[in-house]
């Protein structure tokens, strides 16, 4: 994948930063979440890394807070097709002024071990969170991936670090997908 084809979209729209309660797709209690490489909770701060084939993810996401949309998870993508990589977090600690500080980093590694993208540190939230602190929040880093003929086939690895600065808690999430030839 050419570096200009991974689109890292940093949204400043608050409608993307806060939405949907955590009760449905992540479970009512963060401590009951199934801990995997791509979904973790530490010190009551939770995060999840989703790879979806729902190219209309934004339309699904921009719903009332009580409607948590399901996303079709994708483990494979064929050349010419697209997927979207989304990172969510919940319950960032707030300071005495009600402000949260969450930093993120992300890296995408091709099957040949080279980096397709590497963003070492950026703000995922550095403000007063809107709505309930337990609402699931979408990280402003959204990766749109379209497999090209020149891209190496095989397993692509996505690594995300979500750091709740005030809580001094880091979640290292990892997920992969396989790029397959156009016709199987």
């Amino acid at each position: 994948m050419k570096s200009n084809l991974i689109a890292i979209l940093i949204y400043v729209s608050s409608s993307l930063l806060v939405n949907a309660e955590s009760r449905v797709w992540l479970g009512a209690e963060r401590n009951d979440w199934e801990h995997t490489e791509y979904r973790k909770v530490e010190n009551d701060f939770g995060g999840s890394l989703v790879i979806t084939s729902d190219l209309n993810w934004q339309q699904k996401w921009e719903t009332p807070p009580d409607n948590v949309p399901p996303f079709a998870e994708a483990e494979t993508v064929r050349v010419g097709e697209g997927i979207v990589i989304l990172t969510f977090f919940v319950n960032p600690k707030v300071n005495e002024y009600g402000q949260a500080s969450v930093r993120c980093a992300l890296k995408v590694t091709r099957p040949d071990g080279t980096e397709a993208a590497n963003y070492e540190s950026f703000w995922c939230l550095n403000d007063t969170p809107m709505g309930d602190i337990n609402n699931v929040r979408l990280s402003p880093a959204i990766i749109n991936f379209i497999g090209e003929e020149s891209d190496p086939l095989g397993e692509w690895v996505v690594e995300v670090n979500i750091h709740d600065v005030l809580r001094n808690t880091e979640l290292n999430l990892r997920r992969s997908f396989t790029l397959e030839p156009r016709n199987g």
Side-chain angles (χ1 to χ4, degrees), residues 16-17 25-26 38 45-52 57 61 71 84-90 102-107 122 124 136-143 158-163 171-175:
L16 292 177
L17 293 176
W25 66 281
L26 293 174
Y38 56 87
F45 178 62
S48 183
L49 178 59
V50 174
I51 298 175
T52 182
W57 68 269
W61 178 251
F71 294 103
V84 182
I85 301 165
L86 305 170
T87 304
F88 300 92
F89 61 95
V90 63
V102 178
R103 294 197 65 84
C104 293
L106 75 94
K107 180 170 72 169
F122 55 91
C124 281
V136 175
R137 296 165 200 284
L138 175 62
S139 164
I142 294 124
I143 302 173
V158 180
E159 296 171 283
V160 175
N161 173 277
I162 310 169
H163 180 201
L171 303 175
N172 292 304
L173 308 176
R174 183 182 189 277
R175 199 150 202 184

Side-chain angles (χ1 to χ4, degrees), residues 7 13 24 35 48-49 64 66 76 82 86-90 110 116-117 126 156 159 167:
S13 168
V24 179
H35 286 229
S48 183
L49 178 59
D66 59 344
T76 62
L86 305 170
T87 304
F88 300 92
F89 61 95
V90 63
R110 297 179 185 96
N126 191 32
W156 291 63
E159 296 171 283
R167 190 177 266 127

Side-chain angles (χ1 to χ4, degrees), residues 119-137:
Y119 295 87
E120 293 187 13
S121 185
F122 55 91
W123 287 110
C124 281
L125 177 62
N126 191 32
D127 204 348
T128 303
M130 294 174 50
D132 189 314
I133 198 67
N134 289 303
N135 284 355
V136 175
R137 296 165 200 284

Side-chain angles (χ1 to χ4, degrees), residues 13-155:
S13 168
S14 62
S15 67
L16 292 177
L17 293 176
V18 179
N19 204 334
E21 293 180 30
S22 63
R23 296 192 185 106
V24 179
W25 66 281
L26 293 174
E29 297 294 327
R30 284 179 291 282
N31 293 325
D32 292 339
W33 291 1
E34 177 185 357
H35 286 229
T36 64
E37 282 189 312
Y38 56 87
R39 184 182 303 126
K40 295 181 181 179
V41 176
E42 189 173 324
N43 297 328
D44 207 28
F45 178 62
S48 183
L49 178 59
V50 174
I51 298 175
T52 182
S53 57
D54 292 331
L55 301 181
N56 65 339
W57 68 269
Q58 189 171 356
Q59 180 183 0
K60 284 183 162 190
W61 178 251
E62 291 178 348
T63 60
D66 59 344
N67 178 27
V68 179
F71 294 103
E73 297 196 28
E75 294 180 4
T76 62
V77 61
R78 293 191 184 282
V79 170
E81 294 178 351
I83 57 170
V84 182
I85 301 165
L86 305 170
T87 304
F88 300 92
F89 61 95
V90 63
N91 195 35
K93 184 175 182 176
V94 295
N95 63 20
E96 64 272 15
Y97 305 106
Q99 297 172 326
S101 296
V102 178
R103 294 197 65 84
C104 293
L106 75 94
K107 180 170 72 169
V108 179
T109 306
R110 297 179 185 96
D112 63 7
T114 61
E115 292 179 356
N118 190 350
Y119 295 87
E120 293 187 13
S121 185
F122 55 91
W123 287 110
C124 281
L125 177 62
N126 191 32
D127 204 348
T128 303
M130 294 174 50
D132 189 314
I133 198 67
N134 289 303
N135 284 355
V136 175
R137 296 165 200 284
L138 175 62
S139 164
I142 294 124
I143 302 173
N144 291 298
F145 175 91
I146 298 175
E148 292 188 338
E149 294 288 344
S150 61
D151 289 335
L153 301 178
E155 183 182 51

